[in-house]
Amino acid sequence: EICDSIGRALFLFLNYAPQQRRMRVVFISDTHNRHPKVVLPAGDLLIHAGDVSGRGTQKEIEDFLLWFSSHPHQYKIFIAGNHDFFIQQNPQKFKEILPSNITYLQDELVEIEGKKIYGSPWTPRFMNWAFMKEKGEDIAQVWRQIPNEIDLLITHGPAFGTLDQIYTGLPVGCEALAKELGRIKPKYFLFGHIHEAYGVREKGGITYMNGAVLNERYVLQNEVTVFDL
């Protein structure tokens, strides 16, 4: 009888205990106002890793938000990029126009169905674009805020040495971020910024994904990235 009771309990646990479902992620980056031409496949979680606009005006941002919020994906997350000036310069106004079904992350963690997702828009200083920090300690402080062992990390720019090569072959990713990835240990690391480095690569237990849909000439060329989390 004891064995029967244990067996019944084990059966109930295996068949009725809450299970985390697989989440279909649809990932894009660097649309630069070409978003109306991007065809998004079905999925559960829609992610954009920044540079939604070209000049970063309020009108451009509003147009993107209207398009992004209209899709049927249950969850929608995006971060800003170095072109998205309005978001940095007018944070209060941006919050007022942000649709309720979109989650914007700026150095923040959100948990969705048990998955921990962190997003940050900053890139190392290059000329006078938006969301930039000086190389070295200034930007290193940003990355040290990221918690350990998250499921999905989203930043606008890449880390140094992985999917960060410009057309000349020169790697231009953030060295400080590369140093922190060993501590953070995300399962997936999503970014864009360097259009010509689009692709997916496995390295050190992390799946790196550069989701830029435009090529270096700002032509819509690359496929939307889809994976199961």
Side-chain angles (χ1 to χ4, degrees):
E1 290 182 1
I2 294 175
C3 290
D4 287 344
S5 297
I6 294 173
R8 284 195 296 271
L10 181 61
F11 174 83
L12 290 171
F13 174 78
L14 292 176
N15 286 276
Y16 297 102
Q19 300 291 322
Q20 277 195 344
R21 69 182 178 106
R22 284 186 175 272
M23 185 179 293
R24 175 59 54 91
V25 180
V26 178
F27 169 49
I28 56 175
S29 186
D30 297 84
T31 49
H32 294 285
N33 293 329
R34 275 72 164 184
H35 50 267
K37 296 182 179 180
V38 179
V39 178
L40 296 176
D44 305 299
L45 172 58
L46 175 60
I47 296 176
H48 195 301
D51 276 1
V52 306
S53 64
R55 293 175 297 159
T57 66
Q58 179 175 344
K59 186 179 184 305
E60 287 178 329
I61 301 299
E62 288 178 337
D63 183 67
F64 166 78
L65 292 175
L66 182 63
W67 174 83
F68 199 65
S69 66
S70 69
H71 287 85
H73 304 76
Q74 184 176 0
Y75 307 106
K76 289 175 272 288
I77 294 175
F78 91 102
I79 64 171
N82 61 290
H83 280 249
D84 303 325
F85 287 99
F86 173 75
I87 299 174
Q88 183 178 28
Q89 295 171 352
N90 301 276
Q92 186 56 44
K93 181 64 177 177
F94 169 69
K95 290 180 181 179
E96 293 172 4
I97 66 172
L98 182 67
S100 59
N101 67 341
I102 295 177
T103 298
Y104 171 72
L105 296 179
Q106 184 172 321
D107 304 313
E108 295 172 276
L109 178 73
V110 65
E111 188 166 329
I112 296 177
E113 295 191 12
K115 279 84 171 177
K116 296 179 180 179
I117 303 169
Y118 190 95
S120 179
W122 304 97
T123 52
R125 174 74 60 190
F126 176 74
M127 300 177 67
N128 194 30
W129 294 96
F131 291 105
M132 291 198 161
K133 296 283 188 180
E134 298 297 334
K135 294 180 180 179
E137 181 60 22
D138 193 29
I139 198 165
Q141 290 180 7
V142 172
W143 308 137
R144 284 199 286 267
Q145 298 177 37
I146 304 173
N148 296 342
E149 298 182 356
I150 58 179
D151 295 290
L152 208 160
L153 174 63
I154 312 165
T155 64
H156 179 56
F160 183 84
T162 307
L163 299 177
D164 67 329
Q165 294 81 14
I166 59 175
Y167 67 95
T168 63
L170 181 70
V172 294
C174 181
E175 295 178 347
L177 178 55
K179 291 178 181 179
E180 287 295 320
L181 286 176
R183 171 189 63 80
I184 300 166
K185 296 180 180 177
K187 294 181 178 70
Y188 297 90
F189 176 27
L190 278 55
F191 51 90
H193 191 44
I194 308 303
H195 298 190
E196 54 267 54
Y198 165 86
V200 178
R201 184 172 301 169
E202 301 277 346
K203 181 179 177 181
I206 301 171
T207 301
Y208 294 73
M209 297 183 175
N210 183 326
V213 293
L214 305 186
N215 64 18
E216 64 272 20
R217 297 182 300 278
Y218 284 68
V219 175
L220 183 59
Q221 172 181 291
N222 300 325
E223 293 184 1
V224 174
T225 303
V226 180
F227 66 100
D228 288 332
L229 180 61

